């Protein structure tokens, strides 16, 4: 499922549907392909990244449907030059529709500056394997404290 050199997967890698969807999501983000990313998400999906109020979601209500997820992309993903994902563990019980991935994401800006975000991402998929809920648990202040200028 991993289709990008920008993803280091140090976790279990069985064909669990939620785990596979998370890998497809990371690959699309690493490629900068919004259209591909939207195919990973159900039409009525809710994305919370990070969970709670943030600079991307002041109300903390999440981004709903493809329109909301696309708006999140424009705010949080489009301005980034490159993404590097490192997933160190993934938990997904057989027969469930959920996985939780633990890892870090290095985001590099076009000017060469970068941040690193340590996080837990929880994916819930529908019967077709499309993400219906994604919750990313991370702290913006900790990420900003990692900021390194070019």
């Amino acid at each position: 499922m991993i289709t990008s050199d920008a993803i280091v997967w140090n976790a279990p890698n069985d064909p669990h549907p939620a785990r596979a969807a998370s890998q497809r999501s990371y690959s699309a983000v690493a490629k900068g392909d919004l259209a591909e990313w939207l195919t990973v998400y159900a039409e009525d999906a809710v994305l919370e990244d990070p969970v709670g109020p943030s600079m991307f979601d002041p109300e903390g209500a999440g981004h709903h449907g493809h329109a909301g997820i696309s708006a999140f992309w424009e705010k949080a993903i489009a301005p980034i030059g490159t993404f590097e994902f490192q997933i160190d563990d993934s938990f997904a019980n057989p027969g469930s529709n959920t996985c939780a991935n633990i890892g870090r994401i290095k985001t590099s800006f076009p000017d060469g500056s970068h941040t690193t975000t340590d996080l837990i991402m929880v994916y819930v998929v529908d019967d077709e394997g499309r993400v219906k809920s994604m919750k990313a648990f991370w702290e913006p202040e900790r990420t900003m404290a990692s900021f390194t200028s070019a």
Side-chain angles (χ1 to χ4, degrees):
M1 281 281 91
I2 297 173
T3 60
S4 172
D5 292 338
I7 303 167
V8 175
W9 191 270
N10 299 321
N13 197 23
D14 61 62
H16 188 280
R19 189 173 283 143
S22 73
Q23 292 174 344
R24 289 193 315 270
S25 177
Y26 304 149
S27 293
V29 168
K31 289 189 275 185
D33 190 333
L34 172 59
E36 181 179 330
W37 196 53
L38 290 175
T39 69
V40 177
Y41 285 84
E43 297 290 330
D44 61 349
V46 178
L47 180 141
E48 298 175 70
D49 186 357
V51 171
S54 73
M55 62 284 209
F56 304 126
D57 181 13
E59 315 267 306
H63 309 277
H64 296 258
H66 282 192
I69 292 169
S70 294
F72 170 80
W73 176 283
E74 293 305 318
K75 289 181 199 170
I77 297 173
I80 306 300
T82 60
F83 287 87
E84 296 173 49
F85 295 87
Q86 179 181 320
I87 305 303
D88 294 319
D89 214 342
S90 180
F91 299 91
N93 287 339
S96 74
N97 65 345
T98 304
C99 80
N101 297 335
I102 299 171
R104 64 181 13 179
I105 303 171
K106 179 180 178 184
T107 53
S108 297
F109 299 93
D111 68 0
S113 62
H114 57 58
T115 62
T116 301
T117 303
D118 292 308
L119 71 170
I120 298 170
M121 297 157 283
V122 178
Y123 291 83
V124 179
V125 297
D126 61 18
D127 292 339
E128 288 82 43
R130 295 179 75 193
V131 176
K132 62 183 185 179
S133 171
M134 196 289 277
K135 294 183 178 188
F137 296 87
W138 58 279
E139 297 175 7
E141 297 79 21
R142 288 172 61 176
T143 295
M144 294 314 296
S146 76
F147 181 80
T148 305
S149 59

